[in-house]
Amino acid sequence: MNYRKILLNQRTNIIKSPSLKTYFEAIYKIIESKISNDEQILEIGAGAGISNLFLSHNILKTDLFAFPEYDVLGGVDMNKLQFNELTFDCIIAIDAIHHSYS
């Protein structure tokens, strides 16, 4: 199974599983309480755009793989971000940091 299919399956599982949906709702509720609608937000490791399910903020969602159907920009390596300093007010990464290296 390829990575794209795995991430799409994760998205489906979150939507269909009441316990997973409740878990992610709780995580994103905390995030939502810390950010405002006028902030520039970067999400790294966005996968299949799960944040779209829980946040209505304008977020630049990035991942190694593109998911244009969920507004996720592909080809973005979290270890080599190409954005200028001070471009974003907030960076979020849900279940992604363990994929990075130092």
Side-chain angles (χ1 to χ4, degrees):
M1 183 178 268
N2 69 34
Y3 187 65
R4 180 174 168 74
K5 284 185 180 181
I6 290 170
L7 292 176
L8 288 170
N9 284 338
Q10 281 180 339
R11 182 183 176 93
T12 300
N13 290 339
I14 290 168
I15 292 168
K16 290 184 175 182
S17 167
S19 58
L20 282 175
K21 189 173 181 183
T22 298
Y23 171 76
F24 280 96
E25 282 174 343
I27 289 172
Y28 284 103
K29 187 174 183 177
I30 293 168
I31 291 170
E32 189 170 41
S33 74
K34 306 288 183 186
I35 58 178
S36 65
N37 285 329
D38 61 340
E39 289 183 299
Q40 297 296 316
I41 303 165
L42 171 66
E43 180 175 10
I44 57 175
I50 293 167
S51 62
N52 285 349
L53 300 172
F54 304 100
L55 297 175
S56 61
H57 297 74
N58 186 19
I59 299 171
L60 176 57
K61 293 172 284 301
T62 65
D63 199 281
L64 284 173
F65 299 91
F67 291 88
E69 65 272 38
Y70 301 117
D71 299 321
V72 177
L73 176 66
V76 179
D77 182 345
M78 75 172 83
N79 298 296
K80 300 174 187 170
L81 294 175
Q82 300 294 314
F83 303 105
N84 292 327
E85 281 189 51
L86 305 177
T87 300
F88 299 98
D89 301 302
C90 175
I91 300 173
I92 60 174
I94 305 301
D95 197 26
I97 296 298
H98 63 280
H99 294 289
S100 68
Y101 59 87
S102 53

